[in-house]
């Protein structure tokens, strides 16, 4: 885990001092740079050693057969897996013929810093070769937010002895990767997935064009350079099918430097010709050269200054959480900012985990954050779902249903889940998408989006629910045989989360169809259909156990045998890797928040008393074998009054990757859990809910935090909220007066007239237990304290739990 003392806690950067081989792969994920279109893992420029090489383009994948022990109707036949595309990060260095390889010679110092304000990754090191020659190497890299197709590196070498230096700046395709799958068919598809079509090297410019075999995608990469060194510096260029290389050779004395600025552009298409794609990357490269290195750096800083100006979250009292939430906001921005009608994968573009697929994470965890802090990219994320409607409609027809059945996991639309109980049966993805549409429309007032995109998404998802469910003899509407968020309770009847979200979906579709009659008519919607949606929503079944006084996660859930937690040791988690799904499915044991998730997203369907009782019942059953659970448990724990427990869950969500809590950060970051740290703070301790057209706040802070401040965008207004233990202050930063509610009290906030109200402390309730060994908490650092800051800001002793 990345918990060594050299991993410094600082408010505006993530700093690694020293190079720690045991966490190299995790560091590559943490230091990944992206803009939503291009992703570069934080590999060392020299390429080796590495944990997992990774350069990605959003939407570029290879297709492969899905394995099944037995065939079955409706099983998806093909899977999609993100591929490692042409690596433009590589800059190899030779010092008097000795390769700059940190495994050899003597590494005297090494530091990497991810600058969250500037959007840059800095690296400095001092190394002595086996022959005794010492050099200082400094590099800075960026993936541009403002020039979507561009990434760049500034690389500088300063010798401490007389040396001859050779720099090899490369574009390399089909890098050798560690084995990531046990299926030989998938491995074969991913081994050398790019077939060369064109290569070029001229003067200081390089270019490679490839295509994929099965998915039929063409990928182009180009690089240009600026070289600054002694007059005697020589350059040459060469290329072949999978490599293009610029060689830079010079002799340096102490005090002299050799500087290389490398500009890289990428493009891909499933339709454009080779000449068109070649021209595209050359044009992007020309734009980068025109801006120059410093211009790109300045653009990056200006973009992030604007972002942080309205998205920053300030946390007083816990330096680890302060760093973690800014780290989270930065990586969520990187995953989405320039995705532009492509998916937002569960790992972003930081690694190949989950095969690069997008799930419900996008709509339920990532888009809520973006809707409130960076709404510009939310509409595009939902337009991607609209673009995949043909595949979703075809999938619904295959399953004998109406409307659209959106995939549980995919890259460009088709279902890629090979396990139907946790894939095809997880129909709640439809309602999750509809929920995201509804949220965006209520926050953005984007009438054009509703007319052009929202109506179609709401109508087609509502049609699925009406055909999937049924009315019983008493008129109650049931949705049977589905899997809710809890994947340890598959193929259940009347999952409460699914039913309540479907109810919201049906009503939102009926309302949208009545507002936009022309668009609804074009989709074949009539008054009879909308009336049927409303009838189903009104009659929706919500399972309730009156004897226990709680809602059931699904019909009959509370009569199942409780999992034998006493016989489950700490090494038996996650349960899915140590117990048969058959056994999990028939017991009361919960992988992740499910009914508790319903209380967050559909809080209007529960009384305060029910929320407290439900939480107390489900908490001892929830093992959190999913990174998506802690943040939602934090929200409801805070709402019902368990502030210390909520604070512990916040720590788990926020430090999921910085502390590698799931032991798989090497495969890429958990983007939804990162977004969840914002949700835990803003919806948990800020108490923010959004019902109808009004934003509600019920703030309360745990004792370890002194102050929490954040901003949210609501219908072209920016509202700043500042919370202490005694009061909450609401300040309208921009826009027309805004009506909000504070603990149920209506307030109107205007510019220049902040409103302050006292914070009401929740009633103290007995804190529920967790399964043995599953109480949340953060690992202590080896030295028992936080490392001191070094240039990025103040760092103090932290609070450990």
């Amino acid at each position: 885990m990345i918990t060594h003392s050299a991993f410094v806690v600082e408010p505006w950067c993530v700093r690694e001092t020293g190079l720690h081989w045991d966490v190299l792969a995790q560091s590559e994920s943490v230091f990944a740079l992206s803009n939503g279109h291009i992703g570069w893992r934080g590999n060392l420029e020299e390429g080796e050693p590495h944990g997992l090489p990774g350069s990605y383009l959003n939407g570029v994948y290879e297709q492969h057969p899905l394995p099944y022990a037995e065939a079955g109707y409706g099983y998806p036949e093909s899977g999609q897996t993100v591929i490692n595309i042409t690596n433009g990060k590589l800059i190899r260095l030779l010092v008097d013929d000795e390769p700059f390889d940190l495994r050899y010679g003597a590494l005297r110092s090494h530091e990497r810093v991810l600058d969250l304000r500037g959007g840059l990754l800095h690296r400095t090191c001092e190394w002595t070769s086996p022959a005794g020659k010492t050099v200082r190497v400094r590099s800075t890299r960026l993936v541009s937010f403002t020039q979507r197709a561009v990434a760049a590196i500034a690389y500088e070498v300063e010798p401490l002895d007389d040396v001859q230096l050779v720099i090899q700046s490369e574009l390399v395709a089909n890098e050798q990767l560690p084995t990531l799958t046990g299926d030989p068919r998938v491995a074969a598809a991913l081994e050398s997935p790019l077939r060369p079509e064109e290569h070029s090297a001229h003067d200081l410019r390089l270019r490679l064009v490839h295509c994929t075999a099965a998915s039929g995608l063409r990928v182009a990469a180009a690089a240009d350079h600026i070289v600054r060194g002694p007059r005697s510096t020589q350059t040459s260029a060469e290329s072949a099918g999978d490599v293009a290389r610029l060689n830079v050779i010079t002799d340096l004395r102490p005090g002299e430097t050799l500087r290389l600025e490398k500009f890289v552009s990428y493009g891909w298409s499933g339709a454009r010709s080779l000449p068109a794609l070649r021209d595209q990357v050359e044009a992007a490269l020309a734009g980068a050269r025109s801006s120059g290195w410093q211009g790109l750096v300045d653009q990056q800083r200006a973009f992030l200054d604007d972002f942080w100006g309205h998205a920053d979250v300030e946390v007083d009292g816990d330096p680890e959480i302060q760093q973690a939430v800014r780290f989270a906001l930065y990586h969520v921005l990187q995953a989405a900012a320039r995705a532009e009608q492509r998916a937002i994968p569960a790992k972003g573009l930081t690694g190949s985990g989950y095969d690069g697929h997008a799930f419900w994470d996008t709509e339920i965890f990532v888009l809520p954050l973006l809707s409130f802090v960076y709404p510009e990219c939310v509409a595009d994320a939902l337009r991607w779902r609209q673009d995949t409607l043909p595949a979703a409609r075809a999938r619904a027809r295959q399953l004998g249903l109406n409307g659209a059945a959106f995939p549980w996991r995919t890259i460009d639309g088709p279902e890629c889940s090979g396990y139907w109980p946790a894939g095809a049966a997880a129909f709640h993805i439809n309602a999750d998408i509809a929920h995201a549409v509804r949220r965006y429309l209520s926050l953005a007032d984007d009438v054009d989006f509703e007319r052009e995109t929202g109506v179609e998404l709401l109508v087609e998802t509502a049609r699925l629910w009406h055909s999937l469910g049924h009315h019983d003899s008493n008129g109650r509407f049931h949705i049977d045989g589905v899997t809710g968020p809890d994947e340890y309770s598959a193929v259940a009847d009347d999952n409460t989360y699914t039913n309540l979200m479907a109810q919201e979906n049906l009503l939102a579709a009926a309302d949208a169809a009545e507002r936009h009659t022309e668009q609804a008519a074009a989709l074949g919607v009539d008054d009879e259909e909308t009336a049927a949606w409303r009838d189903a929503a009104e009659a929706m079944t919500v399972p309730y156990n009156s004897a226990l006084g709680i809602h059931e996660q699904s019909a009959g859930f509370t009569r199942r045998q409780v999992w034998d937690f006493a016989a489950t040791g700490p090494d038996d988690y996650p349960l899915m890797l140590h117990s048969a799904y058959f056994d999990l499915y028939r017991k009361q044991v919960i992988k992740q928040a499910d009914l508790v998730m319903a209380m967050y997203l559909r809080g209007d369907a529960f009384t305060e008393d029910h929320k407290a009782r439900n939480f107390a019942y489900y908490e001892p059953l929830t093992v959190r074998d999913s990174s998506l659970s802690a943040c939602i448990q934090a929200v409801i724990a805070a709402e019902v009054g368990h502030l210390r427990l909520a604070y512990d869950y916040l720590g788990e969500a926020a430090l999921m990757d910085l502390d590698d809590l799931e032991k798989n950060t090497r495969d890429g970051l958990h983007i939804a859990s990162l977004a969840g740290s914002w949700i835990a703070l803003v919806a948990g301790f800020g108490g923010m809910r959004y019902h109808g057209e009004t934003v509600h706040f019920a703030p309360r802070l745990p004792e370890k935090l002194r102050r929490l401040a954040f901003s949210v965008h609501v219908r072209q207004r920016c509202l700043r909220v500042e919370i202490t233990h005694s009061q909450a202050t609401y300040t309208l930063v921009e826009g027309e007066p805004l009506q909000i509610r504070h603990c149920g009290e209506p307030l109107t906030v205007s510019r220049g007239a902040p409103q302050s109200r006292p914070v009401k402390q929740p009633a103290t309730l007995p804190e529920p237990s967790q399964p043995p060994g599953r109480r949340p908490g953060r690992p202590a650092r080896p030295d028992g304290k936080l490392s001191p800051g070094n240039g990025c800001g103040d760092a103090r002793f932290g609070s450990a739990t």
Side-chain angles (χ1 to χ4, degrees):
M1 298 191 302
I2 306 178
T3 55
H4 49 77
S5 58
F7 205 68
V8 183
V9 174
E10 302 179 57
W12 280 106
C13 63
V14 178
R15 183 187 305 273
E16 180 189 54
T17 59
L19 194 62
H20 304 262
W21 306 116
D22 56 329
V23 296
L24 184 61
Q26 291 92 329
S27 293
E28 291 168 351
S29 297
V30 167
F31 292 131
L33 297 179
S34 172
N35 60 10
H37 176 60
I38 302 169
W40 272 0
R41 278 177 63 82
N43 307 115
L44 305 177
E45 281 87 7
E46 56 272 20
E48 296 180 12
H50 60 245
L52 174 66
S55 301
Y56 310 107
L57 282 173
N58 195 346
V60 173
Y61 66 92
E62 186 55 304
Q63 202 164 283
H64 55 81
L66 278 176
Y68 299 102
E70 298 180 12
Y73 175 79
Y75 287 6
E77 296 180 358
S78 298
Q80 300 173 342
T81 298
V82 64
I83 61 172
N84 181 36
I85 55 96
T86 310
N87 186 354
K89 302 186 296 286
L90 282 171
I91 300 177
R92 305 188 195 276
L93 172 66
L94 287 87
V95 179
D96 279 353
D97 294 331
E98 291 275 3
F100 175 59
D101 187 326
L102 303 184
R103 293 169 293 190
Y104 305 98
L107 181 60
R108 301 186 177 280
S109 65
H110 193 276
E111 180 176 86
R112 288 188 288 178
V113 180
L114 177 61
D115 176 3
L116 304 176
R117 282 187 184 273
L120 306 171
L121 177 63
H122 302 284
R123 179 191 182 198
T124 59
C125 66
E126 187 171 305
W127 175 78
T128 300
S129 73
K133 297 298 181 73
T134 300
V135 293
R136 293 193 184 105
V137 177
R138 291 180 290 270
S139 70
T140 300
R141 72 173 69 160
L142 64 84
V143 173
S144 176
F145 285 115
T146 57
Q147 299 191 35
R148 178 174 181 256
V150 170
I153 303 174
Y155 189 88
E156 193 169 272
V157 185
E158 177 186 354
L160 301 187
D161 303 289
D162 291 343
V163 295
Q164 181 185 72
L165 297 181
V166 177
I167 287 179
Q168 297 176 314
S169 175
E170 298 180 336
L171 298 176
V172 175
N174 294 317
E175 294 176 283
Q176 185 175 3
L177 298 175
T179 301
L180 301 176
T181 175
D183 185 343
R185 289 168 293 186
V186 179
L190 299 182
E191 184 177 352
S192 299
L194 295 172
R195 298 186 175 182
E197 290 192 314
E198 181 183 86
H199 59 87
S200 173
H202 181 68
D203 292 335
L204 303 180
R205 189 167 290 218
L206 313 172
R207 185 175 64 247
L208 295 178
V209 182
H210 288 77
C211 66
T212 59
S215 57
L217 304 179
R218 179 170 283 119
V219 177
D224 202 355
H225 303 80
I226 295 175
V227 179
R228 293 188 174 92
R231 289 187 177 181
S232 59
T233 301
Q234 302 175 33
T235 64
S236 63
E238 56 191 322
S239 66
D242 282 344
V243 62
R245 180 183 299 114
L246 173 71
N247 300 300
V248 181
I249 306 170
T250 193
D251 294 318
L252 289 184
R253 297 177 179 178
E256 296 181 322
T257 60
L258 177 62
R259 179 180 173 88
L260 179 81
E261 294 173 357
K262 182 177 186 179
F263 306 92
V264 183
S265 65
Y266 290 99
W268 73 271
S269 176
R272 286 195 292 277
S273 67
L274 191 154
L277 204 60
R278 176 203 303 143
D279 291 348
Q280 178 184 332
V281 295
E282 291 293 341
L285 205 54
R289 278 295 304 263
S290 177
S291 298
W293 169 257
Q294 191 58 49
L296 290 174
V297 169
D298 293 343
Q299 292 170 14
Q300 194 86 334
R301 180 60 186 246
F303 181 94
L304 284 164
D305 281 348
D306 179 66
F307 172 74
W308 289 119
H310 59 257
D312 188 26
V313 175
E314 298 174 24
V315 181
D316 289 351
D318 191 328
E320 280 188 297
I321 297 298
Q322 177 64 88
Q323 179 192 48
V325 70
R326 286 175 174 151
F327 174 80
L329 282 162
Y330 179 74
H331 270 291
V332 171
L333 177 70
Q334 287 202 134
R338 302 304 302 272
E340 297 177 8
Q341 292 187 231
R342 292 288 170 188
I344 300 175
K347 296 290 189 180
L349 299 178
T350 66
S352 56
Y354 300 128
D355 291 319
H357 293 162
F359 298 75
W360 71 307
D361 307 24
T362 300
E363 284 77 18
I364 296 302
F365 294 87
V366 177
L367 294 192
L369 183 161
L370 294 171
S371 294
F372 282 105
V373 305
Y374 196 67
E376 295 91 328
C377 59
V378 175
D380 273 346
L382 293 171
R383 289 190 183 101
W384 169 71
R385 289 291 191 186
Q386 184 184 27
D387 289 343
T388 67
L389 266 171
R393 289 189 180 106
R395 180 65 170 162
R397 290 194 299 271
Q398 184 183 38
L399 298 176
L401 300 169
N402 297 331
F406 280 99
W408 180 239
R409 56 188 301 171
T410 191
I411 291 179
D412 79 340
E415 177 65 79
C416 292
S417 175
Y419 183 61
W420 68 268
F427 286 103
H428 68 83
I429 180 67
N430 266 39
D432 301 331
I433 293 167
H435 181 80
V437 170
R438 182 175 176 272
R439 183 198 314 109
Y440 173 72
L441 290 174
S442 62
L443 289 171
D445 281 338
D446 190 340
V447 178
D448 290 341
F449 173 85
E450 181 174 29
R451 183 174 55 251
E452 297 165 5
T453 299
V455 172
E456 187 174 25
L457 287 173
L458 291 171
V459 163
E460 297 294 20
T461 49
R463 282 173 166 161
L464 176 123
W465 296 120
H466 194 256
S467 64
L468 181 64
H470 67 97
H471 290 274
D472 65 16
S473 58
N474 295 317
R476 301 303 300 163
F477 192 79
H478 301 272
I479 302 174
D480 295 333
V482 300
T483 301
D486 171 29
E487 294 169 2
Y488 288 170
S489 302
V491 198
D493 296 341
D494 287 323
N495 171 256
T496 294
Y497 174 89
T498 301
N499 285 16
L500 287 175
M501 295 292 282
Q503 179 187 60
E504 177 187 82
N505 190 169
L506 290 161
L507 292 174
D511 290 344
E514 291 170 4
R515 283 194 301 272
H516 299 278
T517 55
E518 184 177 341
Q519 283 71 31
L523 293 168
V525 179
D526 56 25
D527 291 344
E528 183 178 353
E529 186 171 22
T530 57
W533 294 343
R534 293 189 186 280
D535 288 344
E538 184 177 351
M540 187 68 68
T541 300
V542 179
Y544 184 75
N545 185 320
S546 57
L548 295 174
I550 63 165
H551 291 82
E552 294 201 287
Q553 180 171 291
S554 57
F557 180 84
T558 55
R559 67 171 173 77
R560 297 180 188 171
Q561 181 183 359
V562 175
W563 184 265
D564 188 353
F565 292 107
T568 305
D571 294 334
D572 294 328
Y573 293 97
L575 294 178
M576 58 190 174
L577 299 183
H578 300 90
S579 301
Y581 271 117
F582 160 76
D583 204 21
L584 294 168
Y585 288 166
R586 63 194 185 95
K587 302 285 180 62
Q588 287 192 62
V589 58
I590 300 170
K591 180 180 181 182
Q592 64 193 82
D594 190 311
L595 190 284
V596 171
M597 172 73 83
M599 293 195 298
Y600 167 48
L601 295 180
R602 286 298 315 274
D604 57 308
F606 302 86
T607 66
E608 294 304 311
D609 185 51
H610 277 139
K611 289 178 183 178
R613 290 207 302 269
N614 289 341
F615 186 78
Y617 183 86
Y618 288 99
E619 183 71 1
L621 304 175
T622 305
V623 297
R624 299 192 322 286
D625 283 348
S626 165
S627 63
L628 302 181
S629 195
C631 62
I632 302 304
Q633 288 172 270
V635 170
I636 300 302
E639 181 174 355
V640 301
H642 305 304
L643 295 181
R644 182 173 297 178
L645 180 60
Y647 176 71
D648 290 341
Y649 277 131
L650 163 66
E652 182 173 304
L655 298 170
M656 184 63 62
D657 289 310
L658 288 175
D659 282 345
D660 193 20
L661 298 182
E662 293 280 344
K663 309 294 194 298
N664 60 6
T665 297
R666 63 184 180 276
D667 300 325
L669 302 180
H670 299 78
I671 300 299
S673 184
L674 293 175
S677 64
W678 181 92
I679 292 171
L681 284 165
V682 173
F685 299 130
M688 187 181 76
R689 302 291 186 275
Y690 197 78
H691 301 308
E693 297 298 319
T694 304
V695 65
H696 300 245
F697 296 93
R700 54 197 61 179
L701 291 186
E703 59 180 337
K704 295 288 183 72
L705 299 185
R706 298 189 300 272
R707 174 179 164 272
L708 171 65
F710 56 87
S711 298
V712 292
H713 283 258
V714 181
R715 298 192 302 280
Q716 285 74 56
R717 299 151 171 98
C718 182
L719 177 71
R720 179 173 172 79
V721 182
E722 186 170 355
I723 303 162
T724 65
H725 285 280
S726 60
Q727 73 173 20
T729 301
Y730 305 97
T731 303
L732 191 66
V733 178
E734 60 184 55
E736 297 298 316
L738 177 67
Q739 290 189 345
I740 65 171
R741 284 184 176 268
H742 169 86
C743 298
E745 174 193 354
L747 293 177
T748 299
V749 188
S750 304
R751 292 188 68 182
Q755 296 278 357
S756 295
R757 292 294 186 274
V759 168
K760 299 179 181 180
Q761 295 303 318
T764 302
L765 299 174
E767 188 173 292
S769 62
Q770 293 73 42
R774 303 305 286 172
R775 181 176 174 83
R778 66 181 83 168
R781 294 177 179 273
D783 58 4
K785 63 181 181 179
L786 304 181
S787 300
N790 185 20
C792 277
D794 180 37
R796 291 158 286 175
F797 289 95
S799 52
T801 55

